Amino acid sequence: MIRKFLFPEYSKRVWSSLTVLAFRILFGTLMMTHGYQKFAQFDTLKESFPDPIGIGSEFSLALAIFGELICSAAFIVGLLYRLAMIPMLITMGVAFFIIHGNDPFANKELAFIYLAVFVIMYLTGPGKYAIDSIINDMFIKDKREKARSLQLD
């Protein structure tokens, strides 16, 4: 069950997988730019970064960088895709509902767009052109080889 969640099987439909890949590259790269800006300004931001869940500004900033930079890289290549997306979803959820919760929609629209796209991408999965798909294919190949060897015995 966990393997199917982490490494789901995909159809061989090329266009749908290419579309998912394009979305991963586009939105992952856009998210990485936000994470990189935070990383580059870490020393400046660490004292004033919002601390919405009471863990300290510096740690909140580090988690935001992890979600926006590191997890976005995994999202782009499709490595542990759904696990990598959890911090991204949490970061955008916190930005939309807590940090900008009382702001007019225009101020929190970008966080909402990212959150909506990431929820859809989470449910869709990484597609055929992802490292997770390669890992899944290795599991299937190994499973088939074991089944064949049992039949031959």
Side-chain angles (χ1 to χ4, degrees), residues 6-120:
L6 290 176
F7 311 111
E9 295 180 31
Y10 295 98
S11 70
K12 302 295 181 193
R13 296 189 340 215
V14 173
W15 287 111
S16 60
S17 286
L18 285 174
T19 302
V20 170
L21 174 62
F23 271 78
R24 285 192 349 245
I25 292 169
L26 174 65
F27 284 98
T29 303
L30 289 171
M31 181 57 67
M32 283 181 81
T33 62
H34 294 283
Y36 181 75
Q37 288 172 354
K38 288 176 179 73
F39 177 74
Q41 298 175 359
F42 186 85
D43 288 332
T44 306
L45 293 173
K46 69 181 179 184
E47 301 299 325
S48 62
F49 195 77
D51 180 24
I53 54 177
I55 57 174
S57 291
E58 190 170 347
F59 194 59
S60 293
L61 177 59
L63 288 177
I65 292 169
F66 175 73
E68 294 176 3
L69 187 62
I70 306 302
C71 292
S72 290
F75 172 75
I76 290 169
V77 299
L79 176 64
L80 298 174
Y81 179 81
R82 286 192 168 124
L83 287 178
M85 288 197 72
I86 292 170
M88 297 166 67
L89 288 163
I90 291 170
T91 301
M92 289 302 101
V94 168
F96 180 73
F97 291 108
I98 298 174
I99 302 296
H100 298 290
N102 294 326
D103 293 350
F105 186 75
N107 292 358
K108 56 184 174 180
E109 182 177 7
L110 186 59
F112 177 75
I113 291 169
Y114 277 121
L115 182 61
V117 167
F118 291 154
V119 166
I120 292 166

